[in-house]
Amino acid sequence: MTSGKTTLVVLDMAGTTVADDGLVEQAFTAAVRELGVAPGTARHTEQLAYVRATMGESKISVFRHLFAGDEGAARRANAAFESAYGRLVADGRCEPVLGAREAVEQLRDQGRAVVLTTGFARVTQDAILAALGWTDLAGLALCPADAGGRGRPYPDMVLTALLRTRAADDVRQVAVAGDTSYDMRSGTRAGAGVVAGVLTGAHDEATLLAAGATHVLGSVAELPGLLARAEAGR
């Protein structure tokens, strides 16, 4: 239950407002290939399963797990991942989720601050925003480095959004939306009043609900209506 009007909306990018279309997995495969992990091998299959299970987490954290004990390898893999994803964006492979831009505009028209968040590095986030023409769409865009280095499932980016925007007086006035269990955990740990899962990305309804989703929507396009109805008492 929210405490009054939802005044701050924190939206995930890949899978929620930006169509993923397998780009994360493609960039991951390109990255680990550079470190000698070939597609089709047992190690690649095992690592890819972990990537799928932890969609939404800070990518450097994912690589630190996959290359446990070898910080240098984790950093090389992360740099290769960001480079590969950037190339896919530059090749025109980056598209918005249908209705996402309009949803952000509606949320802003409703008087809500909107912040876009990602598990990618700043350079990749900026490349995505530029490719979509979204540089000025939201009031703020955050990556894990902006919140002290910890990404999801920690609440840090949500709480940093609140502190930076000063758009809410109570964490219950915050809504979080994302496509992964890590987005849901981040929102619930931050105390957000609305934690909405969307079905346009990595995880299904059961997974999102198990991770704490208060609502599950077909897409982020439904979020402005959900918040408006909640505030109208319907």
Side-chain angles (χ1 to χ4, degrees), residues 33-58:
R33 185 189 288 120
E34 291 191 21
L35 277 80
V37 182
T41 62
R43 189 178 185 196
H44 179 268
T45 299
E46 180 183 349
Q47 289 187 343
L48 183 57
Y50 183 80
V51 168
R52 288 170 174 161
T54 57
M55 285 287 191
E57 186 177 359
S58 167

Side-chain angles (χ1 to χ4, degrees), residues 5 20-21 23 27 46 74 76 100 109-110 138 144 151 154 178 180 189 203 206 216 221:
K5 179 183 173 78
D20 175 57
D21 196 26
L23 299 190
E46 180 183 349
R76 290 194 300 275
D109 288 345
Q110 291 171 343
Y154 298 101
T180 72
R189 290 175 180 181
H203 293 159
V216 176

Side-chain angles (χ1 to χ4, degrees), residues 186-205:
S186 178
T188 57
R189 290 175 180 181
V194 172
V195 182
V198 297
L199 299 176
T200 50
H203 293 159
D204 61 18
E205 181 174 11

Side-chain angles (χ1 to χ4, degrees), residues 26-206:
Q26 292 176 47
F28 162 76
T29 295
V32 295
R33 185 189 288 120
E34 291 191 21
L35 277 80
V37 182
T41 62
R43 189 178 185 196
H44 179 268
T45 299
E46 180 183 349
Q47 289 187 343
L48 183 57
Y50 183 80
V51 168
R52 288 170 174 161
T54 57
M55 285 287 191
E57 186 177 359
S58 167
K59 296 301 175 280
I60 184 59
S61 297
V62 172
F63 286 115
R64 281 177 176 143
H65 174 88
L66 296 178
F67 296 95
D70 191 340
E71 178 67 13
R75 288 185 177 276
R76 290 194 300 275
N78 187 63
F81 172 87
E82 299 289 352
S83 179
Y85 200 98
R87 288 194 298 272
L88 292 168
V89 172
D91 288 343
R93 298 285 303 279
C94 186
E95 297 287 342
V97 165
L98 184 65
R101 182 187 185 97
E102 292 79 5
V104 173
E105 291 171 342
Q106 282 182 270
L107 291 167
R108 294 180 66 180
D109 288 345
Q110 291 171 343
R112 314 181 202 278
V114 180
V115 175
L116 296 174
T117 63
T118 185
F120 296 144
R122 164 62 59 191
V123 64
T124 305
Q125 184 178 42
D126 286 347
I128 294 169
L129 293 172
L132 296 177
W134 283 10
T135 303
D136 298 318
L137 178 61
L140 182 66
L142 296 173
C143 67
D146 299 317
R150 296 199 310 181
R152 311 179 191 104
Y154 298 101
D156 303 22
M157 284 197 290
V158 177
L159 297 176
T160 297
L162 187 154
L163 292 170
R164 292 270 191 97
T165 63
R166 299 187 179 184
D169 298 325
D170 186 318
V171 290
R172 291 173 295 174
Q173 295 172 334
V174 179
V176 172
D179 65 297
T180 72
S181 62
Y182 276 45
D183 292 304
M184 303 300 96
R185 292 189 182 112
S186 178
T188 57
R189 290 175 180 181
V194 172
V195 182
V198 297
L199 299 176
T200 50
H203 293 159
D204 61 18
E205 181 174 11

